[in-house]
């Protein structure tokens, strides 16, 4: 009989393409994982894996069975969640993902409230880019994630949490007054510093630049610098190397640096919609609604 353990090992092998790394991820020895994969192949009567020196490749059939294994594993986790979390919301283990441009600014607001209101919640956090968060939600590694909407994923449901307007961050020496709103066409795109590829905030900034009727080519920048965190981008702005679009939720933290200031943009102000994403089949929607309520309350209290 095929076991969930065997499916979990196959899914890990598909992700890591290496017996040693897959075994480490599953907290077992490499020979034990290899033996379980061979037993799975024997039971199914097919070859799932091409074994090569130093690497592993799944066969075409192996890739399809691995994809189906991820679905089975996610359903099994949903079954456990359904049994464990019927009594009261936000108890036990919850794995929550969050995008890097949100984590350092939102988590300090919501974590104390969650600990106070739901003391039996065992929260595990994962900070990474949207693409990986979506994959891990679908595969069952994450219960939910806070990220920018929309996603356009048919297997994922979302709850809208709040709107996060963009501000223009400039060096404090910029002659423009903070009281005056900036027209989009007045942004010098050649000095616009963005996060590196893969960050949704970069894509949102480029999408806004594409709506500006004149100026340099959208996305073209005089900077050869690429950052993986918004905090690093802000240090570049503070040093006078350029300007950037920053979410409103980050302004309270980044404004502590007297070398920068923030300018509001003219209407319609650009921004992003922040939401909570989770598997459509998850039985923990009451948990996600309770979590969403905490986030909304904390953001409203802090004025973002």
């Amino acid at each position: 009989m095929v076991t969930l353990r065997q499916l979990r090992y196959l899914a890990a092998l598909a992700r890591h393409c290496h017996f040693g790394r897959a075994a480490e991820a599953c907290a077992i020895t490499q020979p034990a994982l290899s033996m379980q994969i061979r037993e799975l192949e024997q039971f199914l009567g097919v070859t799932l894996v091409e074994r090569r020196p130093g690497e592993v490749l799944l066969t075409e059939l192996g890739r399809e069975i691995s994809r189906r294994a991820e679905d089975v594993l996610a359903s099994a986790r949903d079954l456990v969640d359904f049994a464990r979390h019927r009594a009261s919301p936000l108890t036990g283990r919850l794995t929550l993902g969050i995008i890097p441009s949100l984590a350092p600014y939102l988590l300090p607001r919501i974590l104390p409230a969650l600990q106070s209101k739901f003391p039996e919640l065992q929260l595990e956090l994962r900070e990474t880019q949207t693409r990986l968060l979506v994959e891990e939600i679908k595969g069952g590694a994450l219960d939910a994630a806070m990220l920018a909407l929309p996603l356009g994923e048919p297997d994922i449901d979302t709850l809208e949490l709040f709107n996060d307007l963009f501000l223009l961050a400039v060096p404090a020496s910029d002659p423009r007054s903070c009281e005056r709103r900036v027209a989009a066409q007045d942004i010098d795109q050649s000095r616009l510093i963005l996060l590196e590829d893969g960050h949704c905030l970069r894509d949102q900034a480029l999408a806004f630049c594409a709506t500006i009727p004149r100026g340099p080519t959208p996305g073209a920048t005089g900077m050869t610098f690429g950052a993986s965190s918004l905090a690093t981008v802000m240090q570049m702005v503070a040093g006078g190397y350029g300007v950037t679009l920053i979410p409103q939720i980050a302004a309270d933290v980044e404004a502590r640096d007297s070398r920068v200031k923030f300018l509001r943009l003219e209407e319609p102000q650009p921004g992003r919609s922040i939401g909570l994403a989770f598997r459509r089949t998850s039985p923990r929607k009451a948990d996600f609604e309770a979590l969403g309520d905490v986030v909304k309350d904390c953001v409203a209290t802090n004025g973002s």
Side-chain angles (χ1 to χ4, degrees):
M1 189 68 183
V2 174
T3 67
L4 290 177
R5 178 182 291 112
Q6 290 171 334
L7 296 182
R8 185 163 66 89
Y9 294 167
L10 177 63
L13 193 58
R15 285 194 298 272
H16 295 282
C17 297
H18 189 278
F19 274 105
R21 289 192 292 271
E24 183 179 356
C26 295
I28 61 167
T29 64
Q30 181 175 332
L33 184 139
S34 181
M35 181 182 69
Q36 289 291 325
I37 295 297
R38 286 193 182 277
E39 288 184 2
L40 179 60
E41 288 180 317
Q42 290 170 3
F43 181 83
L44 296 176
V46 298
T47 299
L48 301 174
V49 178
E50 293 181 22
R51 294 162 175 85
R52 301 180 180 181
E55 69 172 346
V56 171
L57 294 177
L58 266 65
T59 64
E60 182 177 354
L61 189 58
R63 289 193 296 271
E64 176 61 20
I65 291 176
S66 172
R67 185 190 67 77
R68 291 172 180 252
E70 292 277 15
D71 293 340
V72 171
L73 292 168
S75 295
R77 293 187 188 96
D78 288 345
L79 180 73
V80 174
D81 287 341
F82 175 75
R84 287 181 176 174
H85 302 284
R86 293 184 67 190
S88 56
L90 291 180
T91 58
R93 180 172 176 262
L94 180 74
T95 55
L96 179 66
I98 187 168
I99 53 176
S101 62
L102 193 59
Y105 311 110
L106 182 60
L107 291 179
R109 301 186 185 190
I110 68 171
L111 291 183
L114 285 172
Q115 290 172 339
S116 174
K117 192 170 183 179
F118 302 101
E120 296 183 23
L121 174 65
Q122 300 166 12
L123 188 63
E124 297 181 11
L125 292 169
R126 161 94 158 123
E127 179 186 341
T128 191
Q129 296 177 9
T130 298
R131 178 182 60 81
L132 294 175
L133 293 178
V134 169
E135 289 178 1
E136 292 177 16
I137 291 172
K138 289 202 250 185
L142 288 175
D143 294 311
M146 288 188 287
L147 34 68
L149 303 179
L151 289 180
E153 293 284 344
D155 297 329
I156 292 181
D157 275 345
T158 58
L159 291 175
E160 291 188 13
L161 299 176
F162 61 93
N163 290 320
D164 197 13
L165 296 177
F166 291 156
L167 306 177
L168 183 66
V170 300
S173 59
D174 189 291
R176 289 171 288 190
S177 169
C178 292
E179 304 301 320
R180 179 171 168 242
R181 299 213 172 196
V182 177
Q185 57 266 32
D186 292 337
I187 298 175
D188 184 353
Q189 294 182 52
S190 68
R191 300 189 68 237
L192 193 62
I193 306 174
L194 302 175
L195 292 171
E196 62 188 7
D197 286 338
H199 289 269
C200 59
L201 184 58
R202 173 189 177 88
D203 297 335
Q204 291 151 5
L206 289 175
F208 170 65
C209 289
T211 68
I212 300 175
R214 63 182 178 86
T217 302
T221 170
M223 301 297 300
T224 57
F225 175 79
S228 60
S229 75
L230 191 54
T232 304
V233 170
M234 289 304 301
Q235 286 301 309
M236 297 298 292
V237 173
Y241 290 96
V243 301
T244 195
L245 291 172
I246 182 172
Q248 173 76 59
I249 197 167
D252 290 342
V253 174
E254 301 299 344
R256 296 171 189 171
D257 191 334
S258 60
R259 297 174 299 164
V260 298
K261 64 182 182 181
F262 302 101
L263 309 177
R264 289 202 174 272
L265 297 166
E266 288 184 348
E267 298 289 353
Q269 296 182 69
R272 60 182 182 175
S273 175
I274 298 299
L276 187 66
F278 48 90
R279 287 186 306 282
R280 187 178 295 275
T281 58
S282 175
R284 301 188 68 176
K285 293 182 181 178
D287 284 345
F288 304 142
E289 290 173 356
L291 174 60
D293 288 341
V294 170
V295 173
K296 292 175 186 177
D297 289 345
C298 290
V299 170
T301 300
N302 284 270
S304 290

